[in-house]
Amino acid sequence: MAGIRQNKLTKHLPEHVYYDARRGSFRIKLVDGRFKELGRDREVAISVAKEYNRIARPKVNVTVEQLLADDKDNETFFGSCVDNLLNRILQEEQPSTRVKYSFVSDATRCKEFFCNIPASKIELRHVNDYINEYHGDASANVQNRKVAWLKKLFSYAIDESIMTTNPATLKKRKRVADKARQRLKLEWYHAIHEASPLWLQTAMDLSLQTTHARLEISRIRYHIPPSDTRNCGCTWFKDPVTTENGAIYGKLLIHRQKVLHKESAHVAIPIGEKLKQIIDRSKDKVMSQFVVHRIQKRKFKKVRKNLNQVPLNAISSTFTEVRDLIGCCDHLAQEQRPTFHEIRALAAHLYDKQGIDLQSRMAHADEKSTRVYTKNHVEFIEVPLAEIDTGK
């Protein structure tokens, strides 16, 4: 049977709409079976019919709202992707324990904030809202670090085809104010040292001679094997080695946690007369494997491993207490007074005056001073014997 011939009036009409050639008008069949006139204007009739079908026949017609809803249902919310992205970051970058803890905390915030935001819809305004919600009162330095975290996270998302652009790269970095804290002067160091307990004197002396911070100083052990790749500590020679700079009794092996994945993180510092005197002087009636130790005043319900090891916060807080007690920095505002960490800067200054290579000693990257051991062994940078004479 031949198909019905259509003219331009009857072509492409919506469902249930007909053209009555006798009357020259359009009609629509209602849901109850009756017919209703739509008039002679074809465009108006089509528009009215489509709207009627949309409302009266919702199961037959697809609406704009349904299209948008379907698109939203198929969209990936970025919060659901954060865990997989975090696992990849940790696996590929192998961050230190401290950095890993920071990444996990940031990821938790991202999962909460982006839980209902599609990955493809994330814009700069979302970056701003995220920073304002979680770090609005933080310093410029902290806010810059959190923006850097979002840049990293979004870059991995782009690599996984979850996102196409990185809106965090559009965020302007905040200007970091000049450091308010004052450098520690040598006379202040002597005054604080004299008023400090033995364990804090030991920590201060070790930091000054090695240029390392409290994390490494608190982990130094009296004896470790040369093959130890995890712990900081002393390896001793059977007999002292005589050099043009003095006798060397062993090596102090430092594994700097902050940059542990880099070659420069492993430093072997010769133990000369001054370091040996500091280590020998630290030995007291307290049984401990750590050079910096004390009897813990606090009682713990559970037995703690390394009970006599001094916690990091105790080193900083006790230094601050002694500094304020003797009043050597009372002329400075609280935020300007030097902390224990400034001993590292003081040591760097004093060694620099002596012309000693700083980058290798402080576990910073410097290929010229690197000596690499054989394959599958720990790599250390050998530094020359050097000690600071403080005039005491």
Side-chain angles (χ1 to χ4, degrees):
M1 181 178 179
I4 299 175
R5 187 176 180 181
Q6 294 182 334
N7 58 31
K8 64 179 182 179
L9 292 174
T10 59
K11 272 186 177 182
H12 309 303
L13 290 177
E15 288 184 285
H16 307 291
V17 176
Y18 308 94
Y19 178 68
D20 189 342
R22 293 177 300 170
R23 295 186 175 88
S25 62
F26 295 90
R27 295 191 305 165
I28 184 172
K29 186 176 182 180
L30 303 181
V31 292
D32 59 3
R34 295 182 297 113
F35 285 88
K36 190 77 172 181
E37 291 285 341
L38 295 177
R40 295 176 178 270
D41 192 312
R42 185 175 186 274
E43 298 300 327
V44 172
I46 291 175
S47 177
V48 172
K50 285 182 176 180
E51 184 65 14
Y52 176 82
N53 288 336
R54 185 183 76 85
I55 297 174
R57 298 183 173 97
K59 294 183 179 180
V60 176
N61 293 277
V62 178
T63 66
V64 175
E65 289 82 358
Q66 289 173 331
L67 291 175
L68 292 175
D70 291 343
D71 183 62
K72 186 175 180 181
D73 291 338
N74 295 328
E75 182 64 87
T76 301
F77 293 124
F78 188 73
S80 63
C81 306
V82 173
D83 281 336
N84 290 335
L85 295 174
L86 176 64
N87 290 335
R88 184 181 169 190
I89 291 173
L90 297 180
Q91 182 179 3
E92 294 187 5
E93 301 192 6
Q94 296 291 314
S96 64
T97 302
R98 183 180 62 84
V99 176
K100 179 180 178 181
Y101 178 80
S102 178
F103 282 176
V104 171
S105 298
D106 289 333
T108 302
R109 298 187 190 100
C110 286
K111 285 194 295 183
E112 178 184 350
F113 183 84
F114 294 105
C115 63
N116 293 320
I117 301 177
S120 62
K121 301 295 190 297
I122 297 177
E123 301 174 349
L124 177 59
R125 62 185 178 88
H126 295 112
V127 175
N128 290 327
D129 291 344
Y130 174 87
I131 297 298
N132 290 333
E133 180 169 343
Y134 295 105
H135 310 288
D137 297 329
S139 64
N141 194 26
V142 171
Q143 290 192 14
N144 288 339
R145 289 205 307 269
K146 300 310 176 183
V147 172
W149 153 256
L150 290 179
K151 288 181 182 178
K152 181 190 296 290
L153 187 66
F154 293 160
S155 67
Y156 276 86
I158 292 173
D159 192 59
E160 295 283 348
S161 300
I162 298 172
M163 299 175 66
T164 57
T165 59
N166 191 333
T169 58
L170 304 175
K171 178 67 176 175
K172 185 178 180 297
R173 286 176 59 87
K174 288 185 174 291
R175 183 180 181 275
V176 179
D178 295 335
K179 188 175 181 179
R181 198 174 308 285
Q182 297 293 311
R183 295 297 189 190
L184 180 65
K185 296 182 179 179
L186 185 57
E187 55 266 31
W188 298 347
Y189 174 88
H190 283 317
I192 297 171
H193 186 279
E194 188 175 348
S196 297
L198 176 60
W199 66 265
L200 183 56
Q201 290 180 352
T202 303
M204 292 175 64
D205 290 337
L206 288 173
S207 183
L208 187 70
Q209 294 294 338
T210 65
T211 73
H212 284 278
R214 59 175 190 168
L215 178 58
E216 285 69 45
I217 296 303
S218 67
R219 297 170 58 237
I220 295 177
R221 300 169 185 250
Y222 285 110
H223 298 277
I224 64 169
S227 59
D228 195 331
T229 62
R230 298 179 57 187
N231 299 305
C232 298
C234 307
T235 60
W236 300 94
F237 299 153
K238 185 176 180 180
D239 298 306
V241 177
T242 303
T243 68
E244 60 181 7
N245 294 325
I248 300 178
Y249 297 89
K251 292 182 180 181
L252 175 55
L253 305 184
I254 298 291
H255 306 279
R256 191 159 180 248
Q257 294 294 303
K258 189 175 182 180
V259 288
L260 193 58
H261 62 287
K262 297 182 179 180
E263 291 182 359
S264 57
H266 308 288
V267 182
I269 301 175
I271 300 176
E273 289 291 347
K274 291 194 177 295
L275 265 179
K276 186 175 183 301
Q277 289 175 8
I278 294 169
I279 295 169
D280 290 342
R281 183 170 175 263
S282 70
K283 297 176 181 178
D284 51 21
K285 296 181 180 180
V286 179
M287 295 294 295
S288 177
Q289 58 183 320
F290 296 97
V291 178
V292 179
H293 60 268
R294 67 174 184 180
I295 297 177
Q296 298 293 344
K297 298 178 181 179
R298 178 183 171 188
K299 293 183 178 181
F300 297 93
K301 294 181 179 179
K302 296 182 179 179
V303 177
R304 288 183 60 203
K305 186 179 180 181
N306 305 328
L307 179 63
N308 293 323
Q309 183 183 22
V310 180
L312 297 180
N313 291 338
I315 296 176
S316 300
S317 61
T318 306
F319 179 90
T320 301
E321 290 173 6
V322 176
R323 179 202 66 197
D324 293 344
L325 180 64
I326 64 176
C328 63
C329 301
D330 283 353
H331 61 288
L332 299 174
Q334 191 67 34
E335 65 274 8
Q336 293 180 319
R337 298 176 186 179
T339 61
F340 183 89
H341 191 74
E342 288 298 328
I343 298 178
R344 195 165 191 247
L346 174 62
H349 171 67
L350 296 174
Y351 274 124
D352 188 48
K353 289 173 63 176
Q354 296 184 34
I356 304 300
D357 174 36
L358 285 174
Q359 289 189 325
S360 57
R361 193 178 190 90
M362 300 179 75
H364 294 163
D366 185 0
E367 295 181 0
K368 294 181 180 180
S369 59
T370 303
R371 178 182 176 185
V372 180
Y373 281 56
T374 56
K375 191 176 181 181
N376 298 326
H377 288 268
V378 181
E379 298 172 348
F380 293 94
I381 298 174
E382 295 286 349
V383 298
L385 172 62
E387 298 176 329
I388 294 175
D389 186 358
T390 62
K392 295 189 67 177

